[in-house]
Each structure stands twice: as C-alpha cells, then as structure tokens.
C-alpha cells in the first residue's frame, strides 16, 4: 500500500544497498534523509586477493563460506580484470557453499550458483552454529571476510573442527570522509527532526558510535536516539545495538530480515506516532 509513510522523515545510513532502500521508502511517501557512512574500496593490495582466486581455481575448495555479497562481487571484479572469472565460477561450482544471510546468496545467484545452506541467524555466531553441525576435518575451506570485524572466533572455531581455512579480505572501508555527514545526522536526531532511523547492517551502529566518540558528541547521539524510533532489519543489528546499550523499537517479523518487511513494520509503528512534519 503506497503512501504509508507520508509526512515522516526517515534517516538512513548509506552503505552498499541503501539506494534501493531509499527508493522503496520514498515510494511509500517518506522524506528520506540520507547520510553516507563510508565508501567501499577494493583491497589496496590486490595481490593476496588474486592469489586466493588462483588457489581456488587450481585446487577448488571443498567448502566456501561467504560473509557478504559485496565480498563476492569484489572477488569477481578482480577475477574479470585478470581474465579468471569463468575459471573461478567453474571452480566455485564444485564447492559446498554457505552464506551468512541472504545477501551473499543473491550475489552467488548473479554468477549462476546457489548456496547449499544459509545461516538461520545472519551473524558470525550463526555461521559458527551452522558449520558446527558439519564434519570439516581435513576439508579445505575458503572464507571471505569483511572489514572492521575481529573474525578470530570464527576462524578459530573452524580450525578447531579440523578445517584448513583459507581467508580472503577483498575490500576495505574508507570512513573518515563521511564524519561530517554523521555529525549532521546526529544533530538532526538531537533536535527532533527525524522520526525514525533505519539500520540495515551492524557496521552502521559501530560507525555512529565511533564517529560520535571521535567528535565528543556521544551524549548528544544517545539523546537523539532516545527521541527517535530505532528500526533494525534483523538480529545482527539488534545485537549490536544492545552491545552499545541501545534498543530496537521496530523490527520485521521473525525470519523476514529484508527491506520490504522492515518498511511495513516501520509504517505500522509510525502510524501510531505523530510525525515531525506535523508537530
């Protein structure tokens, strides 16, 4: 149903897939306030990524674990540049493929492959739980990681199961340039100019906290969040909020950790709250 968000101001923290999120919110009548959080770049040294690709081709992994869709797309971008993409896809087709949530699965389908299993919980802990049910002894396991996260618990758990883990980190975040945008967003929330902040990945929560601390305005951020509805797309984001002493006001129904169900949940919650545009 269109126009469910008429008169509301929704803050979104732009990372990878928020252009589509912004479009969906605008279609529902929301005024979308966009805050670019960071820019994603290819790994500054492509050599380790290329070496991982060549190892995957020369000796296809028994198992492949993808943590993000962005990671696979960056790997494929390098493979295309080196003329290795067809060989890589053929090699990955021979592996059992596991994904952390639906986004890496979507990236797999873009190259004509399917995941054999997806985590019930799109978190590192969910990946550990999923793979913990399998016999990994002596298996070569390719593991795609993402930036700004300590992955030692995951790699340690896999190694403890007897897997030979081969990791790749195909991209990095550049966050410093976006600090001014984040400060403005914090000011908007603190002044009551935002009805709802919509969070779609846990990195956004960390960036908000880090930027606020760096600029000495963490108290203002927390005050702003007190007067702003906080919408979380799923358990990974909600868990990160809890870790920082914050709450989740809105989340999609269980197992519906996608943008459209999140928007429906936001519309229902905001219908009960007078939007800032009419205050």
């Amino acid at each position: 149903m269109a126009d469910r968000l008429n008169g509301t101001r929704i803050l979104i923290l732009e990372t990878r897939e928020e252009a589509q999120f912004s479009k969906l919110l605008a279609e529902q009548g929301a005024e979308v306030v966009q805050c670019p959080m960071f820019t994603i770049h290819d790994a500054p040294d492509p050599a380790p990524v290329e070496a991982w690709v060549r190892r995957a081709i020369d000796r296809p992994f028994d198992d492949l674990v993808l943590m993000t869709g962005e990671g696979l797309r960056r790997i494929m971008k390098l493979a295309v540049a080196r003329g290795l993409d067809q060989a890589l896809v053929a090699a990955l087709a021979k592996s059992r493929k596991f994904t952390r949530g639906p986004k890496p699965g979507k990236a797999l389908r873009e190259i004509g492959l399917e995941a054999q299993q997806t985590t019930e919980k799109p978190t590192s802990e969910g990946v550990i739980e999923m793979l913990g049910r399998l016999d990994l002894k002596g298996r070569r396991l390719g593991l795609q990681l993402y930036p700004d996260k300590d992955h030692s618990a995951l790699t340690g758990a896999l190694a403890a199961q007897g897997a030979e883990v081969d990791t790749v980190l195909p991209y990095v975040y550049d966050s410093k340039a976006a600090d001014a945008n984040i400060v403005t967003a914090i000011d908007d929330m603190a002044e009551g100019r935002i009805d709802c902040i919509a969070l779609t990945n846990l990195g956004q929560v960390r960036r908000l906290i880090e930027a606020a601390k760096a600029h000495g305005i963490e108290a203002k951020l927390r005050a702003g969040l007190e007067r702003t509805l906080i919408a979380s797309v799923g358990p990974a984001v909600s868990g990160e909020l809890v870790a920082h002493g914050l709450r989740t006001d809105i989340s999609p129904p269980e197992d519906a950790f996608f943008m459209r169900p999140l928007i429906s949940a936001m519309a229902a919650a905001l219908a009960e709250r007078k939007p800032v545009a009419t205050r």
Side-chain angles (χ1 to χ4, degrees):
M1 186 171 63
D3 303 327
R4 293 180 295 175
L5 294 173
N6 274 352
T8 62
R9 300 189 85 223
I10 311 295
L11 173 64
I12 66 170
L13 310 177
E14 294 185 28
T15 52
R16 298 185 296 275
E17 298 183 354
E18 276 63 31
Q20 175 66 11
F21 191 30
S22 176
K23 179 175 180 288
L24 292 172
L25 288 167
E27 287 174 353
Q28 298 298 322
E31 178 185 346
V32 181
V33 180
Q34 298 174 320
C35 176
M37 295 287 281
F38 44 69
T39 302
I40 297 175
H41 298 294
D42 294 331
D45 181 5
V49 184
E50 181 177 347
W52 186 91
V53 168
R54 292 187 182 277
R55 288 195 299 274
I57 292 170
D58 293 342
R59 288 183 60 210
F61 297 120
D62 297 307
D63 301 303
L64 174 70
V65 179
L66 297 172
M67 301 296 281
T68 65
E70 183 70 30
L72 179 58
R73 293 186 183 101
R74 295 279 168 169
I75 290 168
M76 290 308 303
K77 176 184 174 184
L78 182 142
V80 168
R82 303 294 192 272
L84 299 171
D85 50 312
Q86 292 185 7
L88 179 59
V89 171
L92 298 183
K94 300 175 182 178
S95 306
R96 290 191 305 185
K97 290 167 282 295
F98 303 90
T99 60
R100 183 187 69 115
K103 293 179 182 178
K106 179 181 177 183
L108 271 173
R109 290 192 293 275
E110 290 170 3
I111 60 172
L113 301 177
E114 289 283 345
Q116 274 66 57
Q117 195 171 344
T118 298
T119 51
E120 295 177 7
K121 292 177 282 189
T123 62
S124 294
E125 291 74 20
V127 173
I128 292 171
E129 183 179 329
M130 173 178 64
L131 297 177
R133 306 185 187 108
L134 305 175
D135 181 4
L136 300 179
K137 187 174 182 180
R139 295 181 69 86
R140 294 181 60 252
L141 186 148
L143 173 61
Q144 172 260 311
L145 304 176
Y146 57 92
D148 296 352
K149 166 75 174 180
D150 180 0
H151 295 283
S152 59
L154 174 58
T155 56
L158 295 174
Q161 288 179 246
E164 178 188 335
V165 183
D166 191 339
T167 63
V168 62
L169 181 60
Y171 62 100
V172 297
Y173 294 144
D174 176 11
S175 58
K176 297 302 181 185
D179 275 14
N181 301 319
I182 298 171
V183 169
T184 298
I186 291 171
D187 286 341
D188 282 343
M189 287 191 290
E191 295 298 324
R193 293 191 288 266
I194 301 295
D195 290 298
C196 180
I197 178 172
L199 301 166
T200 58
N201 70 71
L202 56 83
Q204 295 168 337
V205 181
R206 292 176 185 157
R207 277 289 291 131
L208 269 179
I209 299 292
E210 289 167 3
K213 286 180 177 178
H215 291 271
I217 55 173
E218 185 179 1
K220 179 185 280 190
L221 168 62
R222 292 183 179 275
L225 290 171
E226 279 296 318
R227 64 188 306 180
T228 305
L229 287 176
I230 304 174
S232 160
V233 75
V237 176
S238 296
E240 191 68 21
L241 285 165
V242 169
H244 292 284
L246 300 169
R247 72 194 189 283
T248 296
D249 298 309
I250 304 167
S251 59
E254 189 173 352
D255 297 330
F257 310 133
F258 303 97
M259 290 180 183
R260 289 182 189 276
L262 176 62
I263 291 171
S264 294
M266 290 164 60
L270 287 163
E272 302 175 4
R273 179 170 175 163
K274 193 175 183 182
V276 293
T278 59
R279 286 178 194 157

